[in-house]
Amino acid sequence: MKVTVVGANGQIGKQLVHFLKEEEGYTPIAMVRKEEQAESFAKDGIESVLADLEGSVEDLANAFKGSDAVVFTAGSGGSTGSEMTLLIDLDGAAKTVEAAEKAGISRYVMVSAFQADNRENWNDDLRPYYVAKHYADKVLMASGLDYTIVRPGGLVNESGTGKVEIGDNIEPGSIAREDVAKVLLAVIGAKNTYGAAFDVVAGEDNVEEAVSKI
Amino acid sequence: MKVTVVGANGQIGKQLVHFLKEEEGYTPIAMVRKEEQAESFAKDGIESVLADLEGSVEDLANAFKGSDAVVFTAGSGGSTGSEMTLLIDLDGAAKTVEAAEKAGISRYVMVSAFQADNRENWNDDLRPYYVAKHYADKVLMASGLDYTIVRPGGLVNESGTGKVEIGDNIEPGSIAREDVAKVLLAVIGAKNTYGAAFDVVAGEDNVEEAVSKI
């Protein structure tokens, strides 16, 4: 199964790409913006495709061609301001949904944000980001794709534990980016997660087990 | 017909409220944020309701109760930055759609932006604003409301001519805010515009005539 990872040069994306490379039955394709990023992946034997979330749906659809699944792990990053939040986290994400449909790819996994579905639980400081994620998720849900929406808690860079808690109504918490990547890996091929959206934080269940119960 | 005008203190909203007051069969309700704005409308014999687009859907639904239609004329304004664009032009607008549904109001008219439906025609300088309008319109279209989406060209403050061009594939142009308000007035009760979305610029057709042909 060929999986295009959007945002492959990001902190979650990079780990996911490497997990996919080690996992039997999967071939990652790292979608990146810059030639030097592609070269860096090539050194690890990982195929890349150049495309930009500020580009057209057509360009993105061409980049996706030949893949069986798309995983959206990109983020404008907190420091770039709300303009990039609108252009990348919302419109960029929505364009990849349209592009997946155009390219005939049915499987799509989105990295969203904890409780992005629930306006009342949005952190006031991050509210514009939550708005963007909320509506990107809505676009995905309204699409015809076999989607899964993964909404991680506060992202931290420490090593993962491989143990998580998954649900719709769980206590807020943090999660290692490595564990988010592990959840994505487990979710991609899991048909029980098609059409599902869930929050995930660090917890006590093995990733595989938690995902199988969704 | 009671019509709640969201953004009644804005440049289009204020004119619409006054047109509605003069029009037989209509009663405007000016939705404003501040008591002094309400007092100013009261002096002209216009009823107001206090509510904030940054508030909850419940508060907005309460503000809408008893109305027969909602017209969204609010805008964060170009100078407030993309954060307010996300919070007001996108999430604020979407909340009024949800609130109208909650309050049992079926008629909803949205002021959008020229070609907001067509990503390829977005002005690069205004791109974040267009993103917000695009997805707010999508939320409205996906709702169960009897909507009309009015997408005016470049807004100018000079007096209106009462003459417009309406279409989906017309040349870009400008339009007086007064004429946008006239189009809104003509659209509110026009069942032929239910489920329609159109661009409008200054032109040669009388507003009533142009609206009747939609």
Side-chain angles (χ1 to χ4, degrees):
Chain A
M1 188 180 196
K2 280 194 172 187
V3 180
T4 298
V5 177
V6 178
N9 205 53
Q11 297 181 84
I12 291 172
K14 201 173 274 181
Q15 297 188 72
L16 175 60
V17 165
H18 285 94
F19 288 153
L20 283 165
K21 181 164 187 292
E22 300 309 318
E23 191 80 5
E24 205 169 335
Y26 290 99
T27 307
I29 299 167
M31 189 178 117
V32 291
R33 270 181 306 166
K34 296 177 186 161
E35 190 60 57
E36 58 261 38
Q37 297 165 342
E39 283 162 16
S40 164
F41 280 111
K43 277 182 200 151
D44 294 327
I46 292 165
E47 195 182 328
S48 290
V49 62
L50 289 177
D52 192 327
L53 289 171
E54 293 192 67
S56 69
V57 171
E58 285 67 24
D59 287 348
L60 291 165
N62 285 330
F64 291 168
K65 271 200 185 117
S67 269
D68 304 297
V70 171
V71 184
F72 188 91
T73 71
S76 67
S79 62
T80 54
S82 290
E83 181 167 334
M84 293 311 282
T85 297
L86 277 157
L87 298 183
I88 301 300
D89 301 311
L90 175 51
D91 199 38
K95 282 189 283 190
T96 64
V97 171
E98 293 176 37
E101 289 184 308
K102 212 179 182 94
I105 298 166
S106 58
R107 181 67 177 134
Y108 189 108
V109 180
M110 174 75 89
V111 178
S112 180
F114 193 85
Q115 289 287 302
D117 55 322
N118 194 354
R119 212 180 261 129
E120 282 154 38
N121 291 338
W122 295 352
N123 178 325
D124 261 347
D125 293 339
L126 295 175
R127 205 165 183 88
Y129 176 73
Y130 268 100
V131 172
K133 297 305 283 182
H134 179 76
Y135 292 98
D137 291 352
K138 278 202 152 186
V139 167
L140 177 56
M141 289 187 280
S143 76
L145 301 177
D146 292 325
Y147 69 83
T148 306
I149 297 172
V150 178
R151 300 184 305 238
L155 299 169
V156 295
N157 275 338
E158 58 203 43
S159 294
T161 60
K163 308 263 195 180
V164 295
E165 185 181 3
I166 281 177
D168 272 332
N169 190 19
I170 58 179
E171 287 295 309
S174 64
I175 182 168
R177 288 183 168 87
E178 185 184 351
D179 284 336
V180 177
K182 280 184 187 157
V183 169
L184 296 172
L185 177 71
V187 155
I188 294 167
K191 291 205 172 165
N192 63 304
T193 70
Y194 287 17
F198 57 85
D199 294 321
V200 56
V201 296
E204 295 184 353
D205 299 329
N206 282 318
V207 164
E208 286 287 346
E209 206 180 296
V211 166
S212 73
K213 285 193 220 147
I214 288 167
Chain B
M1 188 182 197
K2 279 195 171 186
V3 180
T4 297
V5 177
V6 178
N9 206 51
Q11 297 180 85
I12 291 171
K14 202 174 272 181
Q15 296 188 72
L16 175 60
V17 165
H18 284 93
F19 288 154
L20 283 165
K21 180 163 189 294
E22 300 308 317
E23 191 80 5
E24 205 169 333
Y26 290 100
T27 306
I29 298 166
M31 190 179 114
V32 292
R33 269 181 306 165
K34 296 176 187 165
E35 190 60 56
E36 58 260 38
Q37 295 165 343
E39 283 163 15
S40 164
F41 280 111
K43 276 181 200 151
D44 294 327
I46 292 165
E47 194 183 328
S48 292
V49 62
L50 289 178
D52 191 327
L53 289 170
E54 293 191 67
S56 69
V57 171
E58 285 68 24
D59 287 349
L60 291 165
N62 285 332
F64 291 168
K65 269 198 189 121
S67 269
D68 304 296
V70 170
V71 184
F72 187 91
T73 72
S76 67
S79 62
T80 55
S82 289
E83 181 168 333
M84 293 311 283
T85 297
L86 276 157
L87 298 183
I88 301 299
D89 300 311
L90 175 49
D91 199 39
K95 283 189 283 191
T96 62
V97 171
E98 293 175 37
E101 289 184 309
K102 211 177 182 93
I105 299 166
S106 58
R107 181 65 175 136
Y108 189 108
V109 181
M110 174 75 90
V111 178
S112 181
F114 193 84
Q115 288 287 302
D117 55 323
N118 195 352
R119 213 180 260 128
E120 283 154 38
N121 291 337
W122 295 353
N123 178 326
D124 261 346
D125 293 339
L126 294 175
R127 206 166 181 86
Y129 175 72
Y130 268 100
V131 172
K133 296 305 283 181
H134 180 74
Y135 293 98
D137 291 353
K138 278 203 152 186
V139 167
L140 177 55
M141 288 187 282
S143 76
L145 301 177
D146 293 326
Y147 68 83
T148 306
I149 297 172
V150 177
R151 301 184 304 239
L155 299 169
V156 295
N157 274 338
E158 57 203 43
S159 294
T161 60
K163 307 264 196 181
V164 294
E165 185 180 4
I166 281 177
D168 272 331
N169 190 19
I170 58 179
E171 287 295 309
S174 64
I175 181 168
R177 287 183 168 87
E178 184 184 350
D179 283 338
V180 177
K182 280 184 185 155
V183 169
L184 296 171
L185 177 70
V187 155
I188 294 166
K191 290 205 172 165
N192 62 304
T193 71
Y194 287 17
F198 57 85
D199 294 322
V200 56
V201 295
E204 295 182 353
D205 299 327
N206 283 318
V207 165
E208 286 286 345
E209 205 180 296
V211 166
S212 73
K213 285 192 219 145
I214 287 167

